[in-house]
Amino acid sequence: MIKLKTENLTKRFLGLVAVNKVSFSMEEGEILGIIGPNGAGKTTFINLISGIIMPSEGLIEYKGTDITYMPAHERARRGIARTYQLIHPLENLTLIENVMVGSIFAKGHGLREARTKAEALCHELGLTGLDRDTSRLSIFEIKKMEIARALANEPEVLFLDEVMAGLNSDETKDLIAMVQRIALERHLAVGVIEHVMGVIRELTHRVIVLEAGELIAEGKYEEVSKNPRVVEAYLGGGTV
Amino acid sequence: MNRTASRIFALLFGVLAVTLPFFAGDYPLQVARNIMMYMALAITWDMLLRSGQISFGIAGLFGIGAYAAILSVVRAGMPAWFSILFAAIFAGGVAFVIGFLILRLRAMYFSIVTLALGEIFRIIIHNLHDFTGGPEGVVIQKGVVFGGKANSLYWLVLAGLAVAVAASTWFEKSKIHFALTAIRNNEVSAKSSGIDIFRWLLLAFVVTSAIQGLLGGIFVQSYGFATPDAVFSADFTLLPLAMALLGGVYSTTGPIFGAVLLGLVSEWLKLKIPYGHLVVYGIIIVVVILFMPQGLRQLVRRTPHGADGRSA
Ligand SMILES: Nc1ncnc2c1ncn2[C@@H]1O[C@H](COP(=O)(O)OP(=O)(O)OP(=O)(O)O)[C@@H](O)[C@H]1O
Ligand SMILES: [Mg+2]
């Protein structure tokens, strides 16, 4: 079942077209890789879908409803969640309180219920020391907290914007397994932006490639990574 | 300061506030009334600050409440008691309307507009001579609450303070705490967690403004008159701000400590150097912002793990 789709989604910043007529869709239970060189428009694409910025043109449909211009908080309530490439912990709330926020406002749970749910989420992700300030957390813990915060919305669609960046290989392995399990158990559609192709290969069922705002390829990682256009795009900025 | 200690202090202040009229003379009671009035304003200022919005409009809403109360008595024959409630509703209503216009603004744009609005309210009252009495103001001829008895007025102000403390505690203990802190820390994150930012800012702005209006109503009912210069005085903005900053922001207890401390110091200064106290407020604000951004509580706080750190 299609959870989310865009048609000709476009975002212009002054002269720059950051996202250019992108049409795609995501199925329930699918882990989709979103790749592309630096500045390709991946984060902007997710900002559009989550409502952090509004599109210049095009359509976003979620579970059959047009949400193109719906406010971000409303999309969060309906089940679209995400993490941020530049981490945004709420520094005046403790670890557990950070995770409670989505439960309280996206799902409307009371404080006590939100705490119970947040504790369960933290436990699931292997987070301990729940009353710590976020300034005391390691990078790995912060990343897991960001995922827990997004999951507290009880989403149906989840986007992870470079959550693996800055982690060592053991931590990356852990997190890959965690994301797979989370997606499977919750029947989530997950969009994963990563620069490390090993992660994409292992984690995703399907990949879309953005370059200069345009969707230039789509398919299984093995196919896409051989696509000449993709290879060329990456030769400009790095390797596949 | 850890939570238990600050609770004990707050409790002591509470006991002192309730017992004071039974043993203190007129002058100390007058001083205490003053301090409690500013303390309540400081608490309301802090309540909105928890969302990250810095208001310079306290005097504006206080003044509006003051005039709403006095004019409803003098022009419409409203009972004194009810006029105080009316002041709160009126100021809250004004905040609701202007909130739609100004709560899209952030940082210094919000601050400056609140300052300007306060000034605009003052000028309007100043110029609507026939209705408001203009610069000479309005006097309540008869029908002030409690016939102006000092002891009873003390209880009235204490009740106003109790409203502020109760509202602030509600903000701290409920989901409002999560909403405002998230908005202050990161609006983008807040939205992604389902927080309707505008709605919570509006709630905080209306509630704090209504209490400021209520206090304005209590103020005019205590003194029996209002002039634009008296009720829109910059003191009502600057002092609460200095008190909250001094005591430590983002809590109820911070502004309480700050108000007691600064209230007593400024009372003493008023006797020593008339008007010099204003200079001292200015200096305190500057020093606190430069050297103790978390207020005095920072000096005594020793909580490494943030059990109390939410208000740090
Ligand atoms: N708010 C903005 N205003 C102007 N330009 C922007 C804005 N946000 C992004 N851009 C530009 O849009 C383009 C796409 O940026 P985006 O962050 O979406 O790329 P990305 O694919 O996520 O890159 P990276 O892999 O480096 O994270 C870039 O050229 C960027 O400078
Ligand atoms: Mg990016």
Side-chain angles (χ1 to χ4, degrees), chain B residues 30-46 58-59 62 157-158 160-161 164-165 211-212 215-216 218-219 223 229-245 252 254-264 266-267 270 277-278 281:
Chain B
Q30 174 65 39
V31 172
R33 232 168 79 189
N34 242 324
I35 291 179
M36 291 193 307
M37 177 68 79
Y38 285 115
M39 183 185 289
L41 289 172
I43 290 170
T44 61
W45 179 74
D46 185 81
I58 310 174
F62 183 86
V157 176
L158 185 59
L161 173 60
V165 170
I211 299 173
Q212 287 158 9
L215 295 164
I218 290 174
F219 181 83
Y223 290 96
D229 289 341
V231 301
F232 288 100
S233 159
D235 277 8
F236 293 121
T237 297
L238 285 180
L239 246 112
L241 210 141
M243 287 167 171
L245 287 171
T252 309
I256 292 179
F257 294 130
V260 171
L261 210 69
L262 193 53
L264 292 175
S266 71
E267 198 56 39
K270 255 185 225 167
H277 62 289
L278 287 174
Y281 302 152

Side-chain angles (χ1 to χ4, degrees), chain A residues 52 72-73 76-77 80 82 84 88-94 97 100-102 104-106 108-109 111 115 131-133 136 146 149 153, chain B residues 173-179 181-182 184-186 188-197 199-200 250 304-307 309-312:
Chain A
I52 295 307
H73 64 87
R77 289 175 194 180
I80 299 177
R82 65 170 296 183
Y84 287 89
H88 287 323
L90 304 171
E91 71 260 20
N92 291 108
L93 295 177
T94 61
E97 288 171 336
M100 286 166 69
V101 175
I104 297 168
F105 296 100
H109 294 314
L111 295 191
R115 183 172 289 272
D131 290 323
R132 280 178 296 166
D133 276 345
R136 314 226 148 228
E146 293 285 306
R149 276 162 42 92
N153 291 6
Chain B
K173 302 286 176 213
S174 67
K175 61 161 74 169
I176 299 173
H177 166 67
F178 288 83
T181 309
R184 175 173 98 241
N185 281 175
N186 194 305
V188 169
S189 250
K191 282 187 220 175
S192 292
S193 292
I195 295 176
D196 183 347
I197 292 175
R199 192 188 124 185
W200 294 103
Y250 309 142
H305 280 289
R310 59 155 57 143
S311 45

Side-chain angles (χ1 to χ4, degrees), chain A residues 13 16 18 36-45 85 161-162 195:
Chain A
F13 293 116
L16 178 91
N38 289 109
K42 304 179 296 291
T43 298
T44 306
F45 186 54
Q85 182 172 359
D161 195 349
E162 302 199 22
H195 280 291

Side-chain angles (χ1 to χ4, degrees), chain B residues 12-33:
Chain B
L12 283 178
F13 285 140
V15 170
L16 185 65
V18 172
T19 52
L20 201 61
F22 298 106
F23 60 83
D26 278 352
Y27 172 67
L29 272 193
Q30 174 65 39
V31 172
R33 232 168 79 189

